[in-house]
Amino acid sequence: MVDGRLVKCNYCGTKILLRFQMGYFDIPFDICCPKCKGRINGIRKIVDEHKFEINGAKDQECRTEDIDFFADFSVELPHRKITKYESINSLISSGFSPFMMAMQIMGHDDYEKYTQQIGRFIGFKSKLFSRISAFYSMYFNGNIEYLQSPLLNISDAYVIKNPLDASMALHQLLVFQLNTILPDIALKEFTDCSQKILKMVQSGSFSSIDNLITLLGGKEYFNRETKKILNITSDLCDMFEAFIPVVMLCLSDKRDSIDKNTYGISTVSFSKLKTFYANTYELILELIDIPVALNNLQHRGNINEFSDNSKFKDLKSFRNLPKGKKTKALCDGEVFTKPIHIDRNVRNAIDHFDYEYDVTSQKIMFRDKYNGKENNVEMYLLDLAYLCYDNIIILSYLNELLYNLQKIDYIKDGLMPHIGPIKSLNLEET
């Protein structure tokens, strides 16, 4: 069902027909008036209450012939950008509703499957994430004795007798939920790389990995970077509804099925996406030392030995370099590089505030000027959302590498895990 709302821009009086595809989730929207470019945002609530909230425009009763523009809104998939209104007939003939387009692109079964996965993540972020954040706070502050009772209520496998137990339980809780919105192929890459770290330890490289842990900063480093990952996860939870169209397309492997000239996303503003992309990219660059060092060890037998075409001296000096130069140490084809695909030009353009955004077409022009050269990257808002989602995948992967090194550090100290096999999780409030 499509719910139509006629609104009038507060600034120029332009009348816009907003058409909301009523589905499983609340529909946030953030657009600009096509005439005056004034910001119009709000939410069409569906889940707990049927309510319409809007800023920058007001509900307006008018005849259909008075409408100036129309736009579709949905969280399940991208939707038509704001378009000049001509008539009801032209509106109907201009394309499917967002729901019908979803059925056409992915089919009913996949649509139901992925909306259920997204629903589980929304349940996690609204009911469980705040508890996990509180548990992590106790863990970071050395108060693991307070974790045993609440974690046992979640699973009887979570026996917490030392910091290693606490780290394993909290990581599992977080990753189990994040995995519901990640592609299966990404999860396989995470598992394969984790297994390769274990094999390196078993094959006699323990002292090299121990040196890597010491060079990174040990427990202080692990806690500091884990806190940053939690902060990014919190940001993702806060704006997750904005990512649902992208998650649906990526989970179903249908990125290339959308005509980006006609369809876009209105669930999030360019400003919010730009900030989220920049923050996730910076954290990726902070954690890039780990896969670089592991590549050195895996392919050259020494964490300080870089590829032949690299001019890096050793890992210690490498870690002191500006972040932007570190990506050059990631060699294509090496084991721990494979899950990492980042766009340096976009990051630099954002960092230097050199970009232009057209709110009507949703086109972005990023300009990366470096050493007298200029690299221009043109993309749509939907493409930037894809990059944000890809950064979430990369950070999830880097978090797995970080966690595996942390486990080795605890085991080196003589700690042994007491957590048993997990049969079920009770994620309700206890």
Side-chain angles (χ1 to χ4, degrees):
M1 182 181 76
V2 175
D3 175 43
R5 294 278 179 158
L6 299 173
V7 301
K8 182 178 179 180
C9 174
N10 286 348
Y11 313 104
C12 67
T14 296
K15 299 180 182 69
I16 309 170
L17 174 61
L18 310 181
R19 302 173 72 242
F20 297 95
Q21 177 65 60
M22 306 297 279
Y24 293 103
F25 314 115
D26 293 337
I27 308 171
F29 60 95
D30 199 319
I31 62 173
C32 288
C33 170
K35 184 176 180 180
C36 72
K37 312 304 180 186
R39 187 180 178 191
I40 300 173
N41 60 17
I43 187 168
R44 177 62 171 93
K45 292 188 176 181
I46 297 170
V47 179
D48 295 324
E49 57 179 334
H50 284 267
K51 189 176 181 181
F52 177 63
E53 298 176 0
I54 189 167
N55 304 299
K58 291 183 174 64
D59 272 323
Q60 180 77 19
E61 290 188 9
C62 66
R63 298 171 299 176
T64 54
E65 55 265 31
D66 292 334
I67 299 171
D68 299 309
F69 295 88
F70 77 93
D72 287 339
F73 298 94
S74 167
V75 290
E76 280 87 355
L77 276 180
H79 34 273
R80 280 177 295 187
K81 301 171 188 176
I82 292 181
T83 305
K84 186 74 174 177
Y85 181 85
E86 295 178 2
S87 67
I88 286 291
N89 289 335
S90 65
L91 174 64
I92 295 172
S93 64
S94 61
F96 291 116
S97 70
F99 176 76
M100 292 304 295
M101 189 175 74
M103 294 300 100
Q104 184 187 49
I105 289 175
M106 64 184 65
H108 181 271
D109 290 346
D110 281 351
Y111 176 78
E112 291 293 329
K113 173 185 174 183
Y114 297 129
T115 52
Q116 287 176 12
Q117 287 180 221
I118 287 168
R120 287 198 295 273
F121 185 82
I122 289 176
F124 152 73
K125 67 119 174 172
S126 61
K127 296 179 180 178
L128 185 61
F129 181 70
S130 61
R131 294 165 64 198
I132 292 178
S133 296
F135 295 159
Y136 263 110
S137 180
M138 296 177 202
Y139 164 74
F140 291 138
N141 288 285
N143 297 318
I144 63 170
E145 66 271 19
Y146 300 114
L147 293 175
Q148 181 62 96
S149 178
L151 287 176
L152 277 178
N153 285 333
I154 292 175
S155 172
D156 57 11
Y158 288 151
V159 178
I160 310 299
K161 293 188 177 182
N162 57 46
L164 173 59
D165 296 328
S167 172
M168 291 176 65
L170 295 178
H171 181 79
Q172 286 178 8
L173 274 179
L174 192 63
V175 168
F176 283 165
Q177 304 307 314
L178 280 172
N179 283 355
T180 61
I181 60 168
L182 300 183
D184 291 339
I185 189 173
L187 305 181
K188 184 180 184 304
E189 287 181 330
F190 299 172
T191 303
D192 290 347
C193 288
S194 296
Q195 288 299 316
K196 283 185 169 56
I197 295 176
L198 178 61
K199 287 180 181 178
M200 285 194 291
V201 172
Q202 294 171 339
S203 64
S205 297
F206 175 81
S207 61
S208 295
I209 292 181
D210 187 29
N211 289 338
L212 170 60
I213 291 170
T214 300
L215 188 59
L216 290 172
K219 292 175 179 58
E220 182 179 346
Y221 172 82
F222 293 133
N223 285 350
R224 182 177 69 247
E225 300 307 315
T226 301
K227 288 176 184 177
K228 292 177 182 178
I229 289 169
L230 277 174
N231 288 337
I232 290 293
T233 306
S234 178
D235 292 341
L236 171 63
C237 288
D238 288 343
M239 60 185 294
F240 178 70
E241 281 76 4
F243 279 112
I244 292 177
V246 170
V247 176
M248 287 285 284
L249 287 172
C250 293
L251 288 178
S252 59
D253 195 24
K254 300 293 184 180
R255 290 192 188 199
D256 297 329
S257 301
I258 300 297
D259 176 6
K260 288 176 283 193
N261 287 314
T262 304
Y263 294 91
I265 54 173
S266 301
T267 49
V268 64
S269 67
F270 168 64
S271 177
K272 286 185 177 180
L273 272 186
K274 173 172 60 68
T275 299
F276 187 81
Y277 179 80
N279 290 343
T280 52
Y281 194 109
E282 290 306 302
L283 184 52
I284 287 169
L285 293 183
E286 282 192 28
L287 294 168
I288 215 80
D289 302 352
I290 298 177
V292 167
L294 292 174
N295 274 335
N296 290 348
L297 183 58
Q298 173 75 23
H299 295 276
R300 290 168 285 280
N302 190 323
I303 61 172
N304 291 303
E305 187 174 333
F306 292 79
S307 62
D308 292 338
N309 60 351
S310 168
K311 298 180 181 179
F312 303 116
K313 179 182 178 183
D314 53 35
L315 191 63
K316 184 176 180 180
S317 59
F318 172 80
R319 296 195 71 224
N320 292 325
L321 291 173
K323 290 180 183 178
K325 294 184 177 181
K326 292 186 176 183
T327 57
K328 296 178 181 179
L330 289 171
C331 299
D332 291 340
E334 294 194 343
V335 169
F336 294 97
T337 300
K338 290 179 182 179
I340 302 174
H341 309 281
I342 49 181
D343 194 313
R344 178 177 177 271
N345 295 130
V346 172
R347 177 258 185 181
N348 289 347
I350 291 175
D351 199 38
H352 300 143
F353 300 97
D354 199 347
Y355 46 79
E356 294 178 8
Y357 177 58
D358 182 85
V359 295
T360 303
S361 66
Q362 296 192 350
K363 276 188 178 180
I364 313 165
M365 175 63 77
F366 290 107
R367 296 184 178 88
D368 177 21
K369 298 176 183 178
Y370 183 73
N371 284 346
K373 297 181 180 180
E374 181 174 307
N375 293 305
N376 294 336
V377 179
E378 184 177 283
M379 63 176 60
Y380 287 94
L381 187 66
L382 183 59
D383 295 314
L384 181 58
Y386 286 150
L387 293 180
C388 289
Y389 180 76
D390 290 341
N391 280 2
I392 293 167
I393 296 174
I394 295 168
L395 282 175
S396 298
Y397 164 66
L398 294 175
N399 187 31
E400 281 300 305
L401 300 185
L402 183 77
Y403 167 68
N404 276 275
L405 293 181
Q406 185 181 42
K407 281 201 303 182
I408 293 170
D409 189 40
Y410 277 132
I411 292 171
K412 178 198 69 174
D413 291 343
L415 302 184
M416 297 300 295
H418 299 88
I419 291 180
I422 298 173
K423 298 177 181 178
S424 62
L425 293 176
N426 172 26
L427 302 182
E428 299 299 321
E429 291 285 349
T430 55

